[in-house]
Amino acid sequence: MPKTHELTPGAPIKMADLISDGAHFCDDREQAEKEFLALRERLVALEPKLYADASRSLLVIFQAMDAGGKDSATRKVFTGVNPQGVRVVSFKQPTEEELAHDFLWRIHKQTPRRGKIVVFNRSQYEDVLVVRVEKLAPKSVWQARFEQINQFEEMLTAAGTRILKFYLHISKDEQKERFQSRLDEPSKNWKFSPDDLAKRAQWDDYQDAYEDVLKRCTTPWAPWHVIPADRKWYRNLAVCRTIVDALETMDLRYPEPTWKPGEYKID
Ligand code: AMP
Ligand code: MG
C-alpha cells in the first residue's frame, strides 16, 4: 500500500484515471482494520500534545460527491479523540448574511485557533464546485476563486495551521449502491434527498469541476489527497494515516514549565 495519496503540485491529473477501489492498494482488509485502530490510538494521543504545544492548529477538509463518506470518515477517524480538542463544521447553502459577504468570510470564522483541530465537512471548495455546476455565479467570479483560495490557505499555513485536504473518491456505481440503501433502509431514509439525484445526473460536470480543483489548488503548502473511498476500511486507514503522519512531523512539544520542578511540595 502506498504511504500517501498526496498529489504533486503541477503534475497532470485526469479524473478518469483516479482509482476509487481501495482493494487496488491493499488486499488484506483484516490487517488494514487493525492498522487503522492502532493509528487512531496514536491520533488520540497526539491531540493533547497539539493542545499543550499551543502554537499550531490542524484543519482537515473533506470534499466528496454525495454519499462519498464525509460524515462517516469524520465519525470513524475521530472516535475517541477528546471532544474538547476537535470541532466539526458542516457548510450548507450559504445564508442570506453569508451571501452578503465575500465567500471566505464564513470559512475564515471557523478555522481552528492554535492548539485545536477543526474538521470541515464541505468547505470553500463548494464555491468552485456546486456554484460552478449550478451556475450560481458567473464564470469570471468562480474562476478567480482558485487563486483566492490558494492565497487564503497560504496565509493560514503561514499563521501555523496545517491544512489537510481529502477528496474522498467514489465511483458512480458505488454512489448508486449507497443511494439505494438510503432508499431501502428506513433508518437511512433521512439521508436521501431528491436533490441528490439531480446532482448525480450532473456527475460528469462535477467530475470536471473536481479535476480543476485538484489541479489548480494542489499547492506546496496544501496539496490535495485523493483517497480511494469505495471501501470504507481502506478510506479510514488512508485518512487516519495521513493525519497522524502530519501531526507527527509537526514536531509538537510540551511547553517548559514556568516553575522549577522540586520547588513545590504537596502535603
Ligand atoms: P449536505 O452536506 O448533504 O447537508 O448538503 C449541504 C448542501 O449545501 C449541499 O447540496 C451543498 O452543495 C450545499 N452547499 C454548501 N456550500 C455551498 C455554497 N457555498 N453554495 C451553494 N451551495 C452550497
Ligand atoms: Mg446530502
Side-chain angles (χ1 to χ4, degrees), residues 197-247:
L197 293 187
K199 278 196 183 161
R200 178 172 168 80
Q202 292 166 297
W203 179 276
D204 292 342
D205 291 342
Y206 274 99
Q207 291 293 294
D208 287 349
Y210 266 111
E211 189 169 288
D212 274 353
V213 162
L214 299 177
K215 220 184 276 173
R216 302 194 54 180
C217 298
T218 285
T219 52
W221 51 90
W224 275 96
H225 300 258
V226 176
I227 304 295
D230 282 350
R231 306 199 192 230
K232 297 167 186 170
W233 54 267
Y234 186 82
R235 173 203 71 197
N236 296 341
L237 173 61
V239 168
C240 197
R241 170 177 291 172
T242 306
I243 296 174
V244 167
D245 282 351
L247 285 169

Side-chain angles (χ1 to χ4, degrees), residues 91-94 106 122 126-127 130-131 136 195 199:
F91 290 99
K92 309 286 183 187
Q93 283 189 9
R106 67 173 184 161
R122 302 186 190 273
E126 291 294 318
D127 292 281
V130 65
V131 167
L136 303 177
D195 177 52
K199 278 196 183 161

Side-chain angles (χ1 to χ4, degrees), residues 170-210:
I170 57 165
S171 67
K172 201 175 176 187
D173 285 344
E174 180 64 22
Q175 188 193 51
K176 184 177 182 182
E177 279 185 30
R178 293 185 187 183
F179 278 173
Q180 195 60 52
S181 72
R182 290 177 179 191
L183 290 176
D184 295 343
E185 295 175 37
S187 69
K188 289 188 180 172
N189 286 168
W190 64 274
K191 290 192 193 181
F192 183 79
S193 138
D195 177 52
D196 293 344
L197 293 187
K199 278 196 183 161
R200 178 172 168 80
Q202 292 166 297
W203 179 276
D204 292 342
D205 291 342
Y206 274 99
Q207 291 293 294
D208 287 349
Y210 266 111

Side-chain angles (χ1 to χ4, degrees), residues 70 74-75 78 86-90 110 117-121:
K70 301 185 300 297
T74 303
R75 187 175 67 249
F78 290 94
V86 56
R87 183 163 57 85
V88 181
V89 186
S90 301
Q110 298 290 358
I117 302 171
V118 166
V119 180
F120 280 0
N121 184 328

